[in-house]
Amino acid sequence: MRPINTNLRQEHTAVINKLVEYIDDHMEKPLGLQDLSEQALVSPYHLHRVFKSITGETIHAYLNRIRLEKAASQLKYSETVDISRISRQVGFASASVFARAFRNHFGVSASEYRKLHSINSNSCAVNSKNSQLRSAWLAYNEGGANDLELDIRIKRMQPCYIAYTRTNGRVLEKTFEENRNHLQTMGSIFDWARQHSLWNPPSTSLVSMEYQDPRVSGTQYKRVDCGLTLPKPIEPIGEIGCRLFAGGQYAVLRIFDTTAHARKQVKRLWEEWLPHSGFYYTSQPVIILHQNNPSWEPSHRYFIDYAIPINPKQYPGNHPSPYREDIRKPPPRPDLPMLTQLFEEERS
């Protein structure tokens, strides 16, 4: 067996990292192999071979899958966005091509998928059984706090550079033991940042970026970038890439709990809060700001800001949804450690 050329693989990984960034930022455009090879500065044949060796997929299969998964997320979380608009946003040239590709991938039409999986219709159905069309989170904000309530704020993240390494999985797996791979990657990023004199809080923060909804993409493709925010860009180094992150508006859930309870809070954010919030998920990456190392906590509690990118819903007549900031501020937690600030409070 031929030994793996580590330097060559790192070089190939750097090329593919930059190309994936380009695809992320230009999803709505037609992205042919020739165009992508020009972006990567390699021949189409070489790019096709290297891309599959690094990602396990051909470029065509990768493009088709992530476009359809983004479309499925939009259908699931944003009932006010028209299907034809979603198809254009993810880069399909025509509605008929999108309809055919969507049915081939998911086994149902886009409209059927929305009816089956929309969290808005599902949550209304659940709540209507109790003659109650509001979530427990909203009920909390009208009074009656308890230890299980969610600390959610609408905040804004300014554009920043992020040095990252790409991996698979999720930040919050079912058990702490299953999270060790992610924690080791975050530890490697931290060590790398200190070795290169880049760790400088509070201007730098450790973050993870989740790119797929696992309930849409399944378990095989769960892309996570583990990284460090930076005030200015650096040159990519081996498997460490660097990209500009656009920032934007986020619903930020603050969690200080074990992985099992943290997962429950995240589930409630998506399934209880989001449908009634007046916002929709934009299908951009979820940002997780790491405030601690749970390995150092006796009970392995995670202290994170879990942030989903959002936009206000627009209803008939182009009226934005109502939103009252004054009732959405749970009382402060005096037991929380010192914070790293990445998100800023929204200003009206």
Side-chain angles (χ1 to χ4, degrees):
M1 180 182 295
R2 292 176 58 187
I4 296 175
N5 188 325
T6 303
N7 291 335
L8 184 60
R9 183 169 181 83
Q10 289 182 344
E11 180 183 320
H12 288 169
T13 299
V15 170
I16 300 307
N17 281 348
K18 293 298 294 182
L19 189 65
V20 168
E21 290 173 25
Y22 180 81
I23 292 172
D24 288 342
D25 295 337
H26 299 84
M27 184 74 64
E28 75 286 356
K29 296 181 178 180
L31 298 172
L33 180 59
Q34 184 63 44
D35 296 329
L36 294 175
S37 68
E38 291 174 1
Q39 287 294 326
L41 301 178
V42 297
S43 71
Y45 171 78
H46 184 64
L47 178 61
H48 178 82
R49 184 172 59 83
V50 169
F51 193 94
K52 187 169 184 180
S53 72
I54 297 296
T55 68
E57 295 180 276
T58 66
I59 292 180
H60 175 75
Y62 175 82
L63 273 172
N64 192 61
R65 177 178 62 79
I66 62 170
R67 280 173 164 162
L68 292 171
E69 288 175 357
K70 281 188 175 291
S73 286
Q74 289 274 46
L75 293 167
K76 184 176 178 180
Y77 294 108
S78 53
E79 84 282 9
T80 61
V81 181
D82 185 71
I83 292 177
S84 60
R85 180 183 172 189
I86 291 174
S87 71
R88 292 192 300 272
Q89 287 176 340
V90 299
F92 282 89
S94 71
S96 59
V97 172
F98 170 72
R100 209 163 37 243
F102 194 94
R103 182 178 287 276
N104 288 340
H105 190 79
F106 290 103
V108 295
S109 69
S111 59
E112 290 170 330
Y113 187 94
R114 173 172 268 172
K115 289 177 182 177
L116 289 169
H117 298 285
S118 171
I119 60 165
N120 301 283
S121 60
N122 289 344
S123 63
C124 285
V126 170
N127 287 321
S128 62
K129 292 179 181 178
N130 302 317
S131 300
Q132 183 180 348
L133 290 173
R134 65 180 180 233
S135 68
W137 183 86
L138 287 178
Y140 155 69
N141 280 287
E142 293 167 0
N146 61 60
D147 290 342
L148 299 178
E149 300 308 338
L150 306 183
D151 181 358
I152 300 173
R153 315 287 178 91
I154 305 303
K155 296 191 176 186
R156 183 161 295 276
M157 176 180 166
Q158 297 300 322
C160 66
Y161 291 95
I162 297 180
Y164 67 88
T165 185
R166 188 152 294 154
T167 184
N168 295 320
R170 296 179 67 185
V171 173
L172 294 171
E173 298 287 0
K174 292 182 180 179
T175 68
F176 181 77
E177 288 301 318
E178 292 176 315
N179 290 325
R180 288 197 180 277
N181 181 57
H182 173 263
L183 292 174
Q184 288 172 358
T185 303
M186 293 303 300
S188 298
I189 282 287
F190 178 72
D191 292 340
W192 170 84
R194 293 185 65 183
Q195 290 169 8
H196 290 81
S197 302
L198 295 172
W199 178 245
N200 185 31
S203 61
T204 55
S205 305
L206 288 173
V207 295
S208 298
M209 294 162 285
E210 292 186 335
Y211 284 79
Q212 280 100 2
D213 179 349
R215 286 164 289 188
V216 171
S217 60
T219 58
Q220 184 177 0
Y221 302 107
K222 294 188 294 185
R223 171 184 161 195
V224 177
D225 289 353
C226 302
L228 175 81
T229 62
L230 298 171
K232 58 184 180 181
I234 62 168
E235 285 296 320
I237 306 170
E239 296 189 4
I240 302 289
C242 184
R243 66 176 301 175
L244 176 64
F245 209 82
Q249 191 177 45
Y250 289 81
V252 182
L253 167 63
R254 177 153 289 168
I255 299 172
F256 187 43
D257 219 325
T258 61
T259 183
H261 289 144
R263 284 168 61 90
K264 291 178 182 178
Q265 292 184 53
V266 168
K267 180 179 174 68
R268 290 178 60 200
L269 170 68
W270 287 100
E271 297 182 1
E272 292 182 19
W273 179 83
L274 186 59
H276 303 280
S277 66
F279 298 93
Y280 70 90
Y281 167 53
T282 65
S283 78
Q284 296 302 306
V286 170
I287 303 290
I288 297 97
L289 170 62
H290 299 273
Q291 302 277 11
N292 77 336
N293 184 342
S295 301
W296 298 348
E297 280 277 337
S299 57
H300 298 318
R301 288 181 298 179
Y302 277 78
F303 184 27
I304 59 175
D305 285 342
Y306 183 97
I308 60 175
I310 53 171
N311 277 332
K313 294 178 182 176
Q314 292 289 334
Y315 291 98
N318 206 37
H319 297 299
S321 56
Y323 175 71
R324 287 184 58 198
E325 176 68 28
D326 59 316
I327 67 169
R328 302 194 175 205
K329 292 186 177 181
R333 292 273 303 273
D335 59 326
L336 296 182
M338 186 177 297
L339 305 182
T340 298
Q341 299 299 330
L342 178 62
F343 303 97
E344 302 174 352
E345 296 286 352
E346 283 279 46
R347 296 176 176 85
S348 57

